[in-house]
């Protein structure tokens, strides 16, 4: 349980410093052992503007068992949904997770798809 508590402490420390606005909402990423989730949140109104996960219906049937590849697909999908919602730039919130592996894969794929950080 200590690892989860340490992540929550890191998350809270990060969240003190960054928040999303209407012009530049917050892209937050969460990972479980099996799946990865990303959402774009406007903190000024408390509204979720876009959402994507490895469970999304757009990604059904594309699961190869490679979690990093799933993360890249989620990053690309969240960028496409942001474009549809007229969001050009975001603030990246790693949610207390280290910026490596699947978290970095989501961010890199979103950048490649045209989302500005």
């Amino acid at each position: 349980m200590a690892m989860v508590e340490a992540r929550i402490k890191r998350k809270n420390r990060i969240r003190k410093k960054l928040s999303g606005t209407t012009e530049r909402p917050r892209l937050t990423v969460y990972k479980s052992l099996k799946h990865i989730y990303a959402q774009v949140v406007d903190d000024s109104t408390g509204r979720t503007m876009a959402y994507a996960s490895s469970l999304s219906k757009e990604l059904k049937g594309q699961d190869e068992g490679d979690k990093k590849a799933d993360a890249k697909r989620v990053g690309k999908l969240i960028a496409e949904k942001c474009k549809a919602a007229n969001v050009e730039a975001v603030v990246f919130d790693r949610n207390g997770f280290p910026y490596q592996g699947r978290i970095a894969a989501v961010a890199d794929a979103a950048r490649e798809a045209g989302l500005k950080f």
Side-chain angles (χ1 to χ4, degrees), residues 51-107:
Y51 172 81
S53 78
S54 54
L55 296 170
S56 295
K57 63 182 175 184
E58 296 92 349
L59 300 179
K60 285 288 183 198
Q62 297 181 16
D63 184 16
E64 304 161 352
D66 182 10
K67 292 190 268 187
K68 201 164 185 180
D70 288 345
K72 288 179 182 178
R73 284 191 287 274
V74 168
K76 186 177 178 198
L77 180 62
I78 195 73
E80 291 168 2
K81 287 188 175 187
C82 284
K83 297 272 178 162
N86 294 323
V87 175
E88 303 271 330
V90 295
V91 177
F92 189 72
D93 178 8
R94 60 188 174 89
N95 219 352
F97 293 105
Y99 187 81
Q100 64 182 23
R102 293 190 285 158
I103 302 295
V106 170

Side-chain angles (χ1 to χ4, degrees), residues 102-116:
R102 293 190 285 158
I103 302 295
V106 170
D108 293 340
R111 274 192 206 99
E112 288 171 12
L115 203 56
K116 291 184 178 76

Side-chain angles (χ1 to χ4, degrees), residues 1-14 29-31 94-98:
M1 196 64 167
M3 289 179 66
V4 173
E5 291 168 356
R7 186 185 71 80
I8 298 298
K9 282 176 74 172
R10 283 191 306 270
K11 174 185 175 178
N12 291 335
R13 192 169 55 236
I14 292 166
V29 180
Y30 177 78
K31 68 175 184 171
R94 60 188 174 89
N95 219 352
F97 293 105

